[in-house]
Amino acid sequence: MTTYDCDVLVVGGGIVGLSTAYALTQASPGTRVLVLEKENGPARHQTGRNSGVIHSGIYYKPGSLKARFAVRGAEEMVEFCARHGIAHEVTGKLIVATERAELPRLHALVQRGRENGIPVRELGPAQIAAYEPEVRGLAAIHVSTTGVCDYGAVAARLAELSGADVRYGAEVVRIDRRPELGVAVRTADGTVLRARALVNCAGLHCDRVARLAGDDPGVRIVPFRGEYYELARPGLVKGLVYPVPDPAFPFLGVHLTRGVDGSVHVGPNAVPAAAREGYDWRTVRPAELAGTLGWPGTWRIARRHWRYGAGELHRSWSKRAFTEAVRRLLPAVTEADLRPAPAGVRAQAVLRDGTLVDDFLIRESARTIHVLNAPSPAATASLPIGREVASRVLQTLPRS
Ligand SMILES: Cc1cc2nc3c(=O)[nH]c(=O)nc-3n(C[C@H](O)[C@H](O)[C@H](O)COP(=O)(O)OP(=O)(O)OC[C@H]3O[C@@H](n4cnc5c(N)ncnc54)[C@H](O)[C@@H]3O)c2cc1C
């Protein structure tokens, strides 16, 4: 008879893996959950290197997982932070049109927000100034349910509350799956652990982990770095200020975010990263870069969106160009106001044909659930995502 070290083994101690662990023990007390995280603590990658925004859900296609989970997740995240004493604030946010060409897209967003059940208010220039005296725009919308929180602290609390055995410094390097027996995982130090089911929440490495398990993920994670500056005069911004997003690249567009500690972050942009954890231009991992360049989808994105890409690269290399982009929203800002701050890298799943997977993507195979696309707003939506993954994995668990 096979003996198992746990019922469910979760790869990845970011907010999605830890929320899944928490949801598993909530839904089915007594389930033995083991989380393996390669770093020496939780949330060292996307979860600990993001804008910290609790998104309202205004941007996402009605009915999509993103829309459903973000709207519900935002409310739950605020409650979770309040209940567990985690720094957070519901600040509201402005989405500001600075050019006439953006006005139809701003109106479409109002419509979308209403379809998603989100309270939105349309503002003219004078009302913009009432919220944000230094911000200039032709029109804006105010979304009252947006907030900020400390996602690293949320992840750490989920780890504690889950009661799971969370092991740090444990990189999964091999997976052996036998549908009738279960899953055996080997870590970099040679430890072998057996589980009845596996959940892959490996973020920037989720497609590789899927392949280790013998599954074809059908997507490749193409890493896009987001670089930030911190505002030396944080008093210039009171809350959260966003430009009108481009539907082709909803994650693009430098925004201004006052975090829970009162500092204001400016960014991120989006530039290709030469490593999955490539937090600066110097970090190059040839094998990972070759993997990205060898994916046909990468070249299709480059061909389709080179003009956009060139603009983003220019703003990455030229602080003056970056400052100019910020000045569209915040004319008072100068180059001297912008101090470099740590970057993050987004795990964006890309199809072979170059399509950026828009919605969250969760795939099942024998005894395994793979979370293959969990970009923004997955931190906001992490509690509902965790419940969804947990419910799917509990259904796959054999009764023996
Ligand atoms: C620049 C940026 C800004 C963002 N802003 C926001 C925002 O304001 N609001 C919002 O809701 N979302 C935001 N997001 C998105 C959000 O951060 C992510 O959606 C979320 O953190 C994803 O969590 P995760 O657990 O899937 O990934 P991660 O946090 O990356 O966790 C995955 C974990 O898996 C581990 N791992 C990988 N491979 C292995 C292995 N083989 N063995 C063991 N462990 C492994 C990694 O070390 C990592 O800790 C932003 C993202 C970025 C990059």
Short mmCIF file of all heavy atoms in Angstrom, two decimals, residues 11-17 36-39 43-47 49-53 55 151 170-172 201-205 209 226 228 268 277 344-346 374-380, ligand 1:
data_model
loop_
_atom_site.label_atom_id
_atom_site.label_comp_id
_atom_site.label_asym_id
_atom_site.label_seq_id
_atom_site.Cartn_x
_atom_site.Cartn_y
_atom_site.Cartn_z
N VAL A 11 2.80 23.34 -5.06
CA VAL A 11 4.10 23.90 -5.46
C VAL A 11 3.93 25.41 -5.55
O VAL A 11 3.15 25.90 -6.38
CB VAL A 11 4.57 23.34 -6.82
CG1 VAL A 11 5.97 23.86 -7.15
CG2 VAL A 11 4.54 21.82 -6.83
N GLY A 12 4.66 26.15 -4.70
CA GLY A 12 4.62 27.62 -4.78
C GLY A 12 4.01 28.26 -3.55
O GLY A 12 2.83 28.04 -3.25
N GLY A 13 4.81 29.06 -2.87
CA GLY A 13 4.33 29.78 -1.69
C GLY A 13 4.15 31.26 -1.96
O GLY A 13 4.58 32.12 -1.21
N GLY A 14 3.48 31.55 -3.09
CA GLY A 14 2.99 32.91 -3.34
C GLY A 14 1.56 32.97 -2.83
O GLY A 14 1.06 32.02 -2.21
N ILE A 15 0.88 34.07 -3.12
CA ILE A 15 -0.45 34.26 -2.54
C ILE A 15 -1.46 33.23 -3.08
O ILE A 15 -2.37 32.82 -2.36
CB ILE A 15 -0.94 35.73 -2.75
CG1 ILE A 15 -2.02 36.07 -1.72
CG2 ILE A 15 -1.42 35.98 -4.17
CD1 ILE A 15 -2.27 37.56 -1.57
N VAL A 16 -1.27 32.77 -4.32
CA VAL A 16 -2.24 31.81 -4.88
C VAL A 16 -2.06 30.43 -4.25
O VAL A 16 -3.03 29.80 -3.84
CB VAL A 16 -2.12 31.76 -6.43
CG1 VAL A 16 -2.99 30.66 -7.00
CG2 VAL A 16 -2.52 33.11 -7.03
N GLY A 17 -0.80 29.99 -4.11
CA GLY A 17 -0.55 28.69 -3.49
C GLY A 17 -0.99 28.68 -2.03
O GLY A 17 -1.61 27.71 -1.56
N LEU A 36 5.43 23.52 -0.92
CA LEU A 36 6.87 23.59 -1.16
C LEU A 36 7.18 24.90 -1.88
O LEU A 36 6.62 25.17 -2.95
CB LEU A 36 7.35 22.41 -1.99
CG LEU A 36 7.14 21.02 -1.38
CD1 LEU A 36 7.68 19.94 -2.31
CD2 LEU A 36 7.79 20.91 0.00
N GLU A 37 8.04 25.69 -1.27
CA GLU A 37 8.42 26.99 -1.84
C GLU A 37 9.94 27.03 -1.95
O GLU A 37 10.64 26.75 -0.99
CB GLU A 37 7.89 28.11 -0.93
CG GLU A 37 8.51 29.48 -1.18
CD GLU A 37 8.41 29.98 -2.61
OE1 GLU A 37 7.30 29.97 -3.18
OE2 GLU A 37 9.46 30.36 -3.18
N LYS A 38 10.43 27.40 -3.12
CA LYS A 38 11.89 27.33 -3.33
C LYS A 38 12.65 28.44 -2.59
O LYS A 38 13.83 28.28 -2.30
CB LYS A 38 12.22 27.34 -4.82
CG LYS A 38 11.93 28.62 -5.57
CD LYS A 38 12.25 28.43 -7.04
CE LYS A 38 11.76 29.57 -7.89
NZ LYS A 38 12.40 30.85 -7.65
N GLU A 39 12.00 29.55 -2.31
CA GLU A 39 12.70 30.65 -1.62
C GLU A 39 12.67 30.43 -0.10
O GLU A 39 11.99 29.52 0.38
CB GLU A 39 12.06 31.99 -1.98
CG GLU A 39 11.98 32.28 -3.46
CD GLU A 39 13.34 32.42 -4.15
OE1 GLU A 39 14.36 32.57 -3.45
OE2 GLU A 39 13.38 32.35 -5.39
N ALA A 43 6.09 34.69 -0.64
CA ALA A 43 5.84 35.94 -1.40
C ALA A 43 7.09 36.66 -1.87
O ALA A 43 7.14 37.89 -1.84
CB ALA A 43 4.98 36.88 -0.53
N ARG A 44 8.12 35.92 -2.28
CA ARG A 44 9.35 36.60 -2.70
C ARG A 44 9.32 37.05 -4.17
O ARG A 44 10.21 37.75 -4.61
CB ARG A 44 10.55 35.68 -2.48
CG ARG A 44 10.78 35.30 -1.02
CD ARG A 44 11.30 36.49 -0.23
NE ARG A 44 11.15 36.30 1.20
CZ ARG A 44 12.07 35.78 2.00
NH1 ARG A 44 13.21 35.38 1.52
NH2 ARG A 44 11.84 35.67 3.29
N HIS A 45 8.32 36.59 -4.91
CA HIS A 45 8.28 37.00 -6.32
C HIS A 45 7.05 37.89 -6.58
O HIS A 45 6.93 38.91 -5.91
CB HIS A 45 8.43 35.78 -7.23
CG HIS A 45 9.82 35.21 -7.07
ND1 HIS A 45 10.92 35.87 -7.54
CD2 HIS A 45 10.28 34.11 -6.41
CE1 HIS A 45 12.02 35.20 -7.21
NE2 HIS A 45 11.66 34.13 -6.51
N GLN A 46 6.16 37.52 -7.48
CA GLN A 46 5.10 38.46 -7.85
C GLN A 46 4.34 39.02 -6.65
O GLN A 46 4.04 40.21 -6.58
CB GLN A 46 4.10 37.79 -8.78
CG GLN A 46 4.67 37.38 -10.12
CD GLN A 46 3.60 36.67 -10.91
OE1 GLN A 46 2.91 37.29 -11.70
NE2 GLN A 46 3.46 35.37 -10.70
N THR A 47 4.03 38.14 -5.69
CA THR A 47 3.19 38.57 -4.56
C THR A 47 3.85 39.66 -3.72
O THR A 47 3.16 40.52 -3.17
CB THR A 47 2.86 37.33 -3.68
OG1 THR A 47 2.20 36.39 -4.52
CG2 THR A 47 2.01 37.69 -2.49
N ARG A 49 6.14 41.78 -4.95
CA ARG A 49 6.74 42.80 -5.83
C ARG A 49 5.67 43.37 -6.76
O ARG A 49 5.85 43.38 -7.97
CB ARG A 49 7.84 42.16 -6.68
CG ARG A 49 9.05 41.71 -5.88
CD ARG A 49 9.96 40.90 -6.74
NE ARG A 49 11.29 40.79 -6.17
CZ ARG A 49 12.29 41.63 -6.39
NH1 ARG A 49 12.12 42.66 -7.20
NH2 ARG A 49 13.45 41.46 -5.82
N ASN A 50 4.56 43.78 -6.18
CA ASN A 50 3.50 44.32 -7.03
C ASN A 50 3.08 45.70 -6.54
O ASN A 50 3.70 46.25 -5.64
CB ASN A 50 2.33 43.34 -7.13
CG ASN A 50 1.74 43.00 -5.78
OD1 ASN A 50 1.62 43.86 -4.93
ND2 ASN A 50 1.41 41.74 -5.58
N SER A 51 2.00 46.23 -7.12
CA SER A 51 1.58 47.59 -6.77
C SER A 51 0.78 47.62 -5.47
O SER A 51 0.46 48.71 -4.97
CB SER A 51 0.73 48.20 -7.88
OG SER A 51 1.44 48.26 -9.09
N GLY A 52 0.41 46.47 -4.97
CA GLY A 52 -0.34 46.41 -3.70
C GLY A 52 -1.76 46.93 -3.80
O GLY A 52 -2.36 47.33 -2.79
N VAL A 53 -2.30 46.94 -5.01
CA VAL A 53 -3.65 47.50 -5.19
C VAL A 53 -4.71 46.41 -5.06
O VAL A 53 -4.57 45.32 -5.62
CB VAL A 53 -3.77 48.19 -6.57
CG1 VAL A 53 -5.20 48.68 -6.83
CG2 VAL A 53 -2.79 49.36 -6.66
N HIS A 55 -7.81 45.66 -6.51
CA HIS A 55 -8.52 46.15 -7.69
C HIS A 55 -10.03 45.96 -7.52
O HIS A 55 -10.47 44.95 -6.98
CB HIS A 55 -8.04 45.42 -8.94
CG HIS A 55 -6.68 45.87 -9.39
ND1 HIS A 55 -6.46 47.14 -9.88
CD2 HIS A 55 -5.48 45.25 -9.40
CE1 HIS A 55 -5.17 47.28 -10.18
NE2 HIS A 55 -4.56 46.14 -9.90
N TYR A 151 0.28 42.68 0.36
CA TYR A 151 0.02 41.30 -0.04
C TYR A 151 1.03 40.31 0.53
O TYR A 151 0.69 39.14 0.74
CB TYR A 151 -0.03 41.18 -1.57
CG TYR A 151 -1.31 41.74 -2.16
CD1 TYR A 151 -1.28 42.78 -3.08
CD2 TYR A 151 -2.54 41.22 -1.80
CE1 TYR A 151 -2.45 43.30 -3.62
CE2 TYR A 151 -3.72 41.74 -2.33
CZ TYR A 151 -3.66 42.78 -3.24
OH TYR A 151 -4.82 43.28 -3.77
N ALA A 170 12.69 24.78 -0.65
CA ALA A 170 12.37 23.46 -1.19
C ALA A 170 11.92 23.60 -2.65
O ALA A 170 10.74 23.80 -2.94
CB ALA A 170 11.27 22.81 -0.35
N GLU A 171 12.89 23.53 -3.54
CA GLU A 171 12.57 23.68 -4.98
C GLU A 171 12.20 22.33 -5.58
O GLU A 171 12.96 21.36 -5.47
CB GLU A 171 13.76 24.26 -5.73
CG GLU A 171 13.43 24.44 -7.20
CD GLU A 171 14.56 25.09 -8.01
OE1 GLU A 171 15.64 25.30 -7.46
OE2 GLU A 171 14.32 25.35 -9.19
N VAL A 172 11.05 22.28 -6.21
CA VAL A 172 10.62 21.05 -6.87
C VAL A 172 11.37 20.94 -8.20
O VAL A 172 11.28 21.84 -9.04
CB VAL A 172 9.10 21.07 -7.11
CG1 VAL A 172 8.66 19.90 -7.99
CG2 VAL A 172 8.37 21.06 -5.77
N CYS A 201 1.11 26.02 -8.37
CA CYS A 201 0.92 27.48 -8.27
C CYS A 201 2.29 28.14 -8.34
O CYS A 201 2.64 28.97 -7.49
CB CYS A 201 0.26 27.84 -6.94
SG CYS A 201 -1.36 27.12 -6.71
N ALA A 202 3.08 27.74 -9.35
CA ALA A 202 4.49 28.16 -9.39
C ALA A 202 4.70 29.50 -10.10
O ALA A 202 5.83 29.87 -10.40
CB ALA A 202 5.34 27.07 -10.02
N GLY A 203 3.64 30.24 -10.36
CA GLY A 203 3.77 31.62 -10.87
C GLY A 203 4.61 31.69 -12.13
O GLY A 203 4.25 31.14 -13.18
N LEU A 204 5.74 32.37 -12.05
CA LEU A 204 6.60 32.57 -13.21
C LEU A 204 7.13 31.26 -13.79
O LEU A 204 7.65 31.23 -14.91
CB LEU A 204 7.79 33.48 -12.82
CG LEU A 204 7.41 34.96 -12.62
CD1 LEU A 204 8.35 35.65 -11.65
CD2 LEU A 204 7.41 35.67 -13.97
N HIS A 205 7.04 30.17 -13.03
CA HIS A 205 7.55 28.87 -13.49
C HIS A 205 6.44 27.85 -13.71
O HIS A 205 6.72 26.66 -13.83
CB HIS A 205 8.57 28.33 -12.47
CG HIS A 205 9.73 29.24 -12.27
ND1 HIS A 205 10.82 29.27 -13.11
CD2 HIS A 205 9.95 30.21 -11.34
CE1 HIS A 205 11.67 30.19 -12.69
NE2 HIS A 205 11.16 30.78 -11.62
N VAL A 209 6.71 23.74 -14.46
CA VAL A 209 6.27 22.74 -13.49
C VAL A 209 5.22 21.82 -14.14
O VAL A 209 5.22 20.61 -13.91
CB VAL A 209 5.75 23.43 -12.20
CG1 VAL A 209 5.05 22.45 -11.28
CG2 VAL A 209 6.91 24.11 -11.48
N GLY A 226 8.14 44.90 -14.76
CA GLY A 226 7.50 46.19 -14.50
C GLY A 226 8.40 46.99 -13.58
O GLY A 226 8.71 46.56 -12.47
N TYR A 228 9.51 50.40 -11.42
CA TYR A 228 8.87 51.46 -10.64
C TYR A 228 9.87 52.54 -10.25
O TYR A 228 11.06 52.28 -10.08
CB TYR A 228 8.33 50.90 -9.33
CG TYR A 228 7.16 49.96 -9.42
CD1 TYR A 228 7.35 48.58 -9.49
CD2 TYR A 228 5.85 50.43 -9.40
CE1 TYR A 228 6.28 47.71 -9.54
CE2 TYR A 228 4.77 49.57 -9.44
CZ TYR A 228 4.99 48.20 -9.52
OH TYR A 228 3.93 47.34 -9.56
N PRO A 268 3.95 50.42 -12.91
CA PRO A 268 5.10 49.96 -13.66
C PRO A 268 4.91 50.15 -15.16
O PRO A 268 3.81 50.31 -15.66
CB PRO A 268 5.10 48.46 -13.34
CG PRO A 268 3.64 48.12 -13.17
CD PRO A 268 2.98 49.35 -12.63
N GLU A 277 13.01 35.60 -13.38
CA GLU A 277 13.12 36.44 -12.19
C GLU A 277 14.14 37.54 -12.49
O GLU A 277 14.99 37.86 -11.67
CB GLU A 277 13.50 35.57 -10.98
CG GLU A 277 12.35 34.64 -10.63
CD GLU A 277 12.74 33.43 -9.78
OE1 GLU A 277 13.86 33.42 -9.24
OE2 GLU A 277 11.91 32.51 -9.68
N GLY A 344 9.14 44.40 -10.44
CA GLY A 344 8.47 43.10 -10.36
C GLY A 344 8.45 42.47 -11.74
O GLY A 344 8.66 43.18 -12.74
N VAL A 345 8.24 41.17 -11.83
CA VAL A 345 8.09 40.54 -13.15
C VAL A 345 6.75 39.82 -13.20
O VAL A 345 6.42 39.05 -12.29
CB VAL A 345 9.23 39.53 -13.45
CG1 VAL A 345 9.04 38.91 -14.84
CG2 VAL A 345 10.60 40.21 -13.37
N ARG A 346 6.00 40.08 -14.27
CA ARG A 346 4.67 39.48 -14.42
C ARG A 346 4.78 38.14 -15.12
O ARG A 346 5.50 38.01 -16.12
CB ARG A 346 3.78 40.36 -15.29
CG ARG A 346 3.61 41.77 -14.83
CD ARG A 346 2.96 42.54 -15.97
NE ARG A 346 2.71 43.92 -15.62
CZ ARG A 346 3.57 44.90 -15.80
NH1 ARG A 346 4.75 44.67 -16.32
NH2 ARG A 346 3.25 46.14 -15.48
N ALA A 374 -2.15 33.56 -13.82
CA ALA A 374 -2.69 34.28 -12.66
C ALA A 374 -2.00 35.63 -12.53
O ALA A 374 -1.35 35.94 -11.54
CB ALA A 374 -2.51 33.46 -11.39
N PRO A 375 -2.14 36.46 -13.61
CA PRO A 375 -1.55 37.81 -13.52
C PRO A 375 -2.50 38.72 -12.75
O PRO A 375 -3.52 38.28 -12.23
CB PRO A 375 -1.46 38.22 -14.99
CG PRO A 375 -2.62 37.54 -15.63
CD PRO A 375 -2.88 36.27 -14.85
N SER A 376 -2.19 40.01 -12.70
CA SER A 376 -3.07 40.96 -12.04
C SER A 376 -4.47 40.82 -12.59
O SER A 376 -4.63 40.67 -13.81
CB SER A 376 -2.56 42.39 -12.29
OG SER A 376 -3.31 43.29 -11.54
N PRO A 377 -5.52 40.77 -11.81
CA PRO A 377 -5.62 41.08 -10.39
C PRO A 377 -5.64 39.82 -9.49
O PRO A 377 -6.46 39.74 -8.59
CB PRO A 377 -6.97 41.78 -10.33
CG PRO A 377 -7.81 40.96 -11.30
CD PRO A 377 -6.87 40.52 -12.38
N ALA A 378 -4.72 38.88 -9.75
CA ALA A 378 -4.80 37.62 -9.00
C ALA A 378 -4.49 37.80 -7.52
O ALA A 378 -4.94 37.00 -6.71
CB ALA A 378 -3.88 36.58 -9.62
N ALA A 379 -3.74 38.82 -7.15
CA ALA A 379 -3.52 39.03 -5.71
C ALA A 379 -4.84 39.46 -5.07
O ALA A 379 -5.26 38.92 -4.04
CB ALA A 379 -2.42 40.07 -5.49
N THR A 380 -5.52 40.41 -5.71
CA THR A 380 -6.84 40.84 -5.23
C THR A 380 -7.80 39.65 -5.14
O THR A 380 -8.56 39.52 -4.18
CB THR A 380 -7.45 41.85 -6.25
OG1 THR A 380 -6.55 42.94 -6.41
CG2 THR A 380 -8.82 42.34 -5.81
C1 LIG B 1 4.67 44.55 -11.37
C2 LIG B 1 3.43 43.87 -10.91
C3 LIG B 1 2.36 44.62 -10.39
C4 LIG B 1 1.20 43.98 -9.96
N1 LIG B 1 0.22 44.71 -9.33
C5 LIG B 1 -0.86 44.06 -8.81
C6 LIG B 1 -1.81 44.76 -8.04
O1 LIG B 1 -1.66 45.95 -7.76
N2 LIG B 1 -2.90 44.09 -7.60
C7 LIG B 1 -3.11 42.76 -7.86
O2 LIG B 1 -4.14 42.20 -7.47
N3 LIG B 1 -2.18 42.06 -8.57
C8 LIG B 1 -1.06 42.68 -9.00
N4 LIG B 1 -0.10 41.98 -9.67
C9 LIG B 1 -0.31 40.55 -9.89
C10 LIG B 1 -0.06 39.73 -8.63
O3 LIG B 1 1.13 40.11 -7.98
C11 LIG B 1 0.02 38.26 -9.04
O4 LIG B 1 -1.12 37.97 -9.79
C12 LIG B 1 0.06 37.31 -7.85
O5 LIG B 1 1.04 37.71 -6.93
C13 LIG B 1 0.32 35.89 -8.34
O6 LIG B 1 0.58 35.08 -7.23
P1 LIG B 1 1.21 33.64 -7.43
O7 LIG B 1 1.16 32.96 -6.12
O8 LIG B 1 0.53 32.99 -8.60
O9 LIG B 1 2.70 33.90 -7.94
P2 LIG B 1 4.04 34.23 -7.13
O10 LIG B 1 3.82 35.23 -6.07
O11 LIG B 1 5.07 34.53 -8.14
O12 LIG B 1 4.37 32.86 -6.41
C14 LIG B 1 4.81 31.71 -7.08
C15 LIG B 1 5.80 31.02 -6.16
O13 LIG B 1 6.19 29.76 -6.70
C16 LIG B 1 7.53 29.53 -6.32
N5 LIG B 1 8.08 28.50 -7.20
C17 LIG B 1 8.24 28.57 -8.55
N6 LIG B 1 8.77 27.42 -9.03
C18 LIG B 1 8.94 26.61 -7.95
C19 LIG B 1 9.45 25.30 -7.80
N7 LIG B 1 9.90 24.58 -8.85
N8 LIG B 1 9.49 24.75 -6.55
C20 LIG B 1 9.05 25.46 -5.46
N9 LIG B 1 8.57 26.71 -5.56
C21 LIG B 1 8.50 27.30 -6.78
C22 LIG B 1 8.17 30.90 -6.49
O14 LIG B 1 9.39 31.02 -5.76
C23 LIG B 1 7.08 31.82 -5.99
O15 LIG B 1 7.23 32.17 -4.62
C24 LIG B 1 1.08 42.58 -10.09
C25 LIG B 1 2.14 41.83 -10.59
C26 LIG B 1 3.32 42.47 -10.95
C27 LIG B 1 4.47 41.64 -11.39
#
